[in-house]
Amino acid sequence: MSNTPMTPGVVPQRLSRTDYADGFSDMHPPLDAHEALVAADRCYFCYDAPCVTACPTAIDIPLFIRQIQTGKPGDAAKTIFDQNILGGMCARVCPTETLCEEACVRETAEGKPVEIGRLQRFATDTALVTGVHPYQRAEPTGFRVGIVGAGPAGLACAHRLAMKGHDVTIYDARPKPGGLNEYGIAAYKTVGDFAMAEVDWLMEIGGITLVSDTALGRDVTLTELRDDFDAVFLGVGLGGVNALRAPGEDFPYVQDAVDFIADLRQAEDKAQVPVGRNVVVIGGGMTAVDAAVQSRLLGAETVTIVYRRGRDRMGASPYEQDHATRHGVRIVTGAQPLRVIGTDTAEAVEFAYTEETPEGLRPSAQTFQIAADQVFKAIGQTLAAAPEDLTLDGAKIAVTGMGRTSAAGVWAGGDCASGGDDLTVTAVAEGRDAAEDIHVTLIGASEIAAE
Amino acid sequence: MADLTSDFAGIKSPNPFWLASAPPTDKEYNVRRAFEAGWGGVVWKTLGSEGPPVVNVNGPRYGAVYGADRRLLGLNNIELITDRPLEVNLREIKAVKRDYPDRAMVVSIMVPCEEEAWRAILPMVEETGADGIELNFGCPHGMSERGMGSAVGQVPEYIEMVTRWCKQFTRMPVIVKLTPNITDIRKPAEAAAKGGADAVSLINTINSITSVDLDTLSPEPSIDGKGSHGGYCGPAVKPIALSMVSEIARAPETAHMPISGIGGITTWRDAAEFLVLGAGNVQICTAAMTYGFRIVEEMKAGLRSWMDEKGYDSVAAVSGRAVPNVTDWQYLNLNYVTKARISQADCIQCGRCYAACEDTSHQAIAMSPDRVFTVIDEECVACNLCVNVCPVENCITMEEMPVGAIDPRSGDRVDDAYANWTTHPNNPAALKAAE
């Protein structure tokens, strides 16, 4: 520990070894077998259960919990994977407090929902450690599907297609597969290199070829893919980042929060990741919270999230907001950045309080400054480059039905596609559903051809 | 404040809560702890004849059935009568009774069905200063294979004979403990009455296998891969016991006999239910074995405050109060019409009532797209299943339809006149009587 939280500038090693180990340990430690039974006993096995309705992938939650109750966590895992092949990651990162657990009738009854997320993790972890992949491929169909993006949408799509006997090739711009599971999620939500292990396990179905370091538009074009494959699925995510559009944005350590989160995830030794003494995070979503909390865990003395609207409008759920404040993060709302102040490096950020006007949100004359030697921008991601020929819906690829784009034979899902929340679980659902639609389309076309 | 003192068949105790004959009453150490904890009396674990005592298995003796959160709902055992020498038990009984003269000390006995065996043991028990004896005609496992326990309790003639011997050979009150492993509980109770018994106690445990180990295929509790049926007790058996107690309490031949109620009593409420259905006192075992002796505090306080609320000043005033309300099905009022009502304020929208009614009953609950559940009176037969499966207490209730209202299910006007099956036009016997 060569530095302390008070050391000025952006430096590594602000804390002791133990502090790093504690800070980046599992955020929600797994349930042990006894805890899982106690938690499972609380499920009422509701009719047409609200938790299932609330789950974007519609996992049969009462069934899998009943399977845990009856001593069959492996069967429970199969119930989960049938709907959500990335059920292990979703158990870790889903905002369950705004999905299944918010809908749980015991939340209504007692304000304490069944711990669905942790039970799901118990079941899926049990299955993953066996190392046995629970699905087998159907007879080969001879069809070939190209997928761009090895994130949750692409992986879910690939697995479902492979299961149905199609041959799949996934292209990904990054060196490792997993997309945001690997690069975008706070380290303490997925410890022990889980994302990579989950992808390896998923790939065991067979029939999926992964091509890394290959980006759409740079190394391969949509036209080429449409020529080479019988169908194409785009799960490219949102590679671009919104700019601050404020003076001082070019100072060193005025960074995109997503890059910081990715670098931190990939860092073998968290102690070597530099962090500012005073960190300001601009934005109000999960990315802002992940960047802010992890800055504190790296030893930043002060961390402030500044969001332009009220708390109720923040993308981060109240649970996530509490998570941030519990870690000593200050949340300032109703203020927007005017400029980053500094000479060679950032020293502070000047903000103006905002006010709602008929023309929209406007900065008021009231300003203030917050000291900052590191500034994270977490004000939303955008589609990096819209592939040629595709109709957009706002800033995203327009899709209808089960992920059909405006181009024949091209589907899209996940964050890059219109509709749905930008959640891992939503991406999985969209990838899976697109695969079903691709399958029906390919098989249907071949049957018509055969007649 | 209500008086909890009890006089059961002439046996006095400071409260009506006795520990039943079972492991908790097998030793002086346990019984002293029980009396210190406030129990009104004990029935000492069953003594056998003089000589080498019985032996127990050296593997597990109990098997269990659990509810949610591993709450023990049912327990079964394959333990035999005391496996300690008779003289040790007698010495301890005497010592404890001497130190706790105000507590009831009843001794359970099981010896072969021979007059000599009873003639031999009774004076020895009497010499301890015990207040009474309980004849164990109930245990369904082990001893029954040797012609004792439930093997006696299942033959009314034996019950009468042995009871008569006991009344002949001892001045102590005789309580006959009955086995539920019989078709009609009134028959052995009548036999006990004919033999001169001062009281009956029931129920003893029920023949049972609690579970099977699906790896070894051995019934539980497993002794080296094999299992034997044991005696089932605990909260799960309470309904069976309540019914049997009430049958004896309302049968003219046995109504006069004091009944010691036994079977799954876990709280003051359970105890009160046994008392009002005809029990003069209660005996408890499984609840004590599950939670320890301290539960008697809750039982005494709860019973007393309930009695105060209702204005009952003594246990005797409570005993049997509900017996007139136990009747035969044929006398139930068929003009009593109720409908289920769901309190929307209390409903947590789990839909279990809907699943139960729609899948397995009368399709009498409607579910709206936004999960509001309502009763369809045209279909509701008031079966109560929705009430029973609802996880929220008092969320669904059965409301009586007012006299004069039209039952939308039958189209009939609700009549205030009492009318039962015996006079119903669909009853062939009733029609015949009318001719």
Side-chain angles (χ1 to χ4, degrees), chain A residues 84-154:
Chain A
N84 182 338
I85 197 66
L86 296 176
M89 182 58 84
C90 289
R92 289 162 166 77
V93 303
C94 259
T96 52
E97 67 280 0
T98 58
L99 298 171
C100 52
E101 292 179 17
E102 182 180 57
C104 178
V105 300
R106 296 202 81 143
E107 173 66 27
T108 316
E110 306 134 46
K112 281 187 189 145
V114 175
E115 291 182 282
I116 299 167
R118 296 181 82 198
L119 285 165
Q120 177 165 325
R121 178 167 173 190
F122 175 77
T124 52
D125 280 5
T126 306
L128 259 57
V129 295
T130 65
V132 181
H133 189 84
Y135 298 96
Q136 287 189 330
R137 295 191 69 193
E139 289 297 309
T141 61
F143 288 113
R144 298 175 64 251
V145 181
I147 292 178
V148 187

Side-chain angles (χ1 to χ4, degrees), chain A residues 38 41 44 46-48 50 105 109, chain B residues 68-69 348 350-352 354 371 391:
Chain A
V38 173
D41 268 349
Y44 282 144
C46 295
Y47 179 81
D48 189 15
V105 300
Chain B
D69 208 9
I348 59 170
C350 68
R352 293 218 310 212
Y354 177 82
R371 300 186 73 82

Side-chain angles (χ1 to χ4, degrees), chain A residues 3-4 9 20 31 36 40 69 74 76 100 128 229 243 271 276 283 327-328 346 359 361 402 426 433:
Chain A
N3 296 306
T4 74
Y20 288 110
L31 296 172
Q69 272 175 353
C100 52
L128 259 57
F229 293 97
H327 283 84
E359 292 78 40
L361 203 65
M402 292 165 90
T426 312
D433 293 347

Side-chain angles (χ1 to χ4, degrees), chain B residues 154-349:
Chain B
Q154 287 164 342
V155 183
E157 292 78 8
Y158 289 173
I159 293 174
E160 184 180 341
M161 176 178 74
V162 178
T163 306
R164 188 163 285 129
W165 291 337
C166 291
K167 285 306 292 178
Q168 199 179 327
F169 302 139
T170 180
R171 57 155 179 83
M172 296 180 288
V174 175
I175 304 167
V176 175
K177 187 164 181 178
L178 304 178
T179 175
N181 299 304
I182 190 160
T183 312
D184 184 347
I185 196 66
R186 292 172 298 190
K187 300 301 172 198
E190 274 173 41
K194 280 189 203 152
D198 297 279
V200 290
S201 57
L202 71 158
I203 60 174
N204 205 306
T205 56
I206 303 171
N207 268 337
S208 60
I209 289 175
T210 48
S211 57
V212 179
D213 183 314
L214 291 176
D215 295 321
T216 64
L217 299 183
S218 172
E220 298 279 8
S222 172
I223 301 295
D224 194 22
K226 302 252 189 275
S228 180
H229 68 85
Y232 196 45
C233 56
V237 311
K238 183 188 119 182
I240 298 164
L242 278 179
S243 171
M244 289 184 165
V245 165
S246 74
E247 287 305 308
I248 293 172
R250 75 190 186 101
E253 296 80 6
T254 50
H256 64 282
M257 265 203 306
I259 302 169
S260 188
I262 312 170
I265 296 166
T266 308
T267 66
W268 72 266
R269 194 176 289 276
D270 299 327
E273 289 170 18
F274 272 87
L275 293 174
V276 295
L277 279 182
N281 77 352
V282 292
Q283 296 185 33
I284 287 122
C285 172
T286 309
M289 289 179 75
T290 309
Y291 303 108
F293 288 148
R294 238 160 45 80
I295 55 166
V296 75
E297 285 303 320
E298 168 268 312
M299 292 178 169
K300 288 191 291 188
L303 181 65
R304 183 180 283 126
S305 64
W306 172 75
M307 288 167 63
D308 285 342
E309 285 161 26
K310 301 293 176 189
Y312 304 134
D313 56 6
S314 69
V315 176
V318 170
S319 181
R321 281 198 99 90
V323 174
N325 296 333
V326 183
T327 185
D328 294 342
W329 191 96
Q330 62 180 336
Y331 300 124
L332 296 175
N333 185 3
L334 295 174
N335 283 341
Y336 174 73
V337 183
T338 65
K339 296 288 175 189
R341 289 286 171 263
I342 301 172
S343 160
Q344 299 304 332
D346 295 313
C347 177
I348 59 170
Q349 304 184 328

Side-chain angles (χ1 to χ4, degrees), chain A residues 211-230:
Chain A
V211 182
S212 298
D213 296 308
T214 304
L216 184 67
R218 183 187 73 195
D219 307 304
V220 63
T221 66
L222 182 57
T223 310
E224 288 164 4
L225 292 174
R226 291 176 74 185
D227 288 344
D228 291 352
F229 293 97
D230 299 303

Side-chain angles (χ1 to χ4, degrees), chain A residues 141-148 153-154 156-162 164-169 229-235 399-405 407-413 429-447:
Chain A
T141 61
F143 288 113
R144 298 175 64 251
V145 181
I147 292 178
V148 187
C157 184
H159 186 272
R160 186 57 64 101
L161 287 167
K164 291 185 179 294
H166 309 297
D167 285 323
V168 180
T169 303
F229 293 97
D230 299 303
V232 175
F233 176 80
L234 301 176
V399 292
T400 53
M402 292 165 90
R404 293 182 184 213
T405 69
V410 181
W411 281 256
E430 290 171 2
R432 175 199 70 193
D433 293 347
E436 292 288 349
D437 200 39
I438 291 167
H439 172 71
V440 169
T441 305
L442 294 178
I443 295 299
S446 70
E447 279 169 359

